[in-house]
Amino acid sequence: MFAIYKKELRSYFINAIGYVYVGVFLAAAALMCCYTTLGSRSYDTGSYFTMLIFSFIILIPLLTMKLFAEEKKLRTEQLLLTAPVSVWGMVMGKFLAAVTLFVGTTLVSCINFFPLYSYANTERLADEYGVTHIGPVTAEIISCLVGVILIGIAFVAIGLFVSSLCENQLAAAVITVAIILVMLILDMVNQYINVYAIRFVISWISIMSRFSNFTTGILDFSSILYYLSISGVFLLLTVRVYDKRRWG
């Protein structure tokens, strides 16, 4: 598994995909932070993280489209299937490589919050009346960051599964975009549904409705379990796909 993990992580930077992903992610995060937080002179970071999640519609497929589809394109899938590694090890190696790049880039993007703390400290020192200025809420930033990372990991698992079904990277990217888009707009569609039972079910499975608690600084453990369950289900489905191919 570790050999596959290193190979996949290295492949992101042998090709241009890794550099493009990191560059686009950091540039988009900086622009969104300027627009939602710094530009509005607000310490509320909930809007920034919400916009960041919607950027995953494009960013995550860019990260996952090649994971298995490229193996089919290069005719190396059979070599992978006959390698002395379990199917779980193969899938987890590729999954963890994508997750490492995603989480690492997300954490680097947190430098966008440094101006918030710098601005708060400047105002506190310059206050002539001894009133402590309210600065950024660290608990809110941390909880939102946890939620964003978990949602991103779930989307990576979905993209990995789609890539295992496709022979073309573009097709894998387009299908992953469509699935993530549907999952993110469920909460918007829900407000137009009048049947309570349907609204309750959609609200329960909606990615964004569950994320709302994180924006208030609350680590919602039921939502954490839900996001981890999505990851687990799609990883299991990917393993089943390759179990069938190895022994079928």
Side-chain angles (χ1 to χ4, degrees), residues 68 71-72 74-82 90 164 242 245:
F68 282 112
E71 300 286 354
K72 300 184 185 73
L74 299 176
R75 301 291 190 267
T76 56
E77 187 181 48
Q78 287 304 316
L79 292 175
L80 196 62
L81 289 173
T82 55
M90 176 184 70
S164 72
Y242 275 93
R245 286 181 186 171

Side-chain angles (χ1 to χ4, degrees), residues 61 64-78 80-81 94 157-179 237-238 241-242 245:
T64 62
M65 63 182 184
K66 79 176 195 67
L67 290 173
F68 282 112
E70 187 179 48
E71 300 286 354
K72 300 184 185 73
K73 178 184 176 181
L74 299 176
R75 301 291 190 267
T76 56
E77 187 181 48
Q78 287 304 316
L80 196 62
L81 289 173
K94 288 178 173 290
I158 292 171
L160 180 74
F161 171 66
V162 173
S163 184
S164 72
L165 299 176
C166 297
E167 296 187 1
N168 182 279
Q169 293 186 43
L170 181 59
V174 170
I175 295 171
T176 306
V177 165
I179 293 173
L237 289 173
T238 307
V241 167
Y242 275 93
R245 286 181 186 171

Side-chain angles (χ1 to χ4, degrees), residues 49-200:
F49 283 109
T50 299
M51 288 186 67
L52 187 63
I53 291 171
F54 274 91
S55 73
F56 291 170
I57 295 172
I58 302 299
L59 292 171
I60 296 299
L62 184 66
L63 189 64
T64 62
M65 63 182 184
K66 79 176 195 67
L67 290 173
F68 282 112
E70 187 179 48
E71 300 286 354
K72 300 184 185 73
K73 178 184 176 181
L74 299 176
R75 301 291 190 267
T76 56
E77 187 181 48
Q78 287 304 316
L79 292 175
L80 196 62
L81 289 173
T82 55
V85 62
S86 67
V87 175
W88 266 108
M90 176 184 70
V91 171
M92 289 302 297
K94 288 178 173 290
F95 172 70
L96 291 176
V99 166
T100 298
L101 185 56
F102 164 72
V103 173
T105 310
T106 303
L107 293 178
V108 170
S109 71
C110 291
I111 61 176
N112 294 326
F113 299 122
F114 287 173
L116 292 180
Y117 288 95
S118 177
Y119 179 69
N121 290 334
T122 301
E123 283 202 340
R124 188 175 294 113
L125 290 173
D127 193 337
E128 298 177 359
Y129 302 99
V131 178
T132 302
H133 190 276
I134 298 176
V137 182
T138 304
E140 179 184 305
I141 293 174
I142 293 174
S143 64
C144 284
L145 190 60
V146 170
V148 165
I149 288 175
L150 288 172
I151 291 171
I153 289 174
F155 288 163
V156 168
I158 292 171
L160 180 74
F161 171 66
V162 173
S163 184
S164 72
L165 299 176
C166 297
E167 296 187 1
N168 182 279
Q169 293 186 43
L170 181 59
V174 170
I175 295 171
T176 306
V177 165
I179 293 173
I180 294 176
L181 178 62
V182 170
M183 294 182 75
L184 290 180
I185 65 173
L186 276 178
D187 197 49
M188 299 179 185
V189 174
N190 202 24
Q191 60 184 315
Y192 299 105
I193 297 175
N194 296 322
V195 181
Y196 173 77
I198 297 177
R199 290 185 63 180
F200 177 80

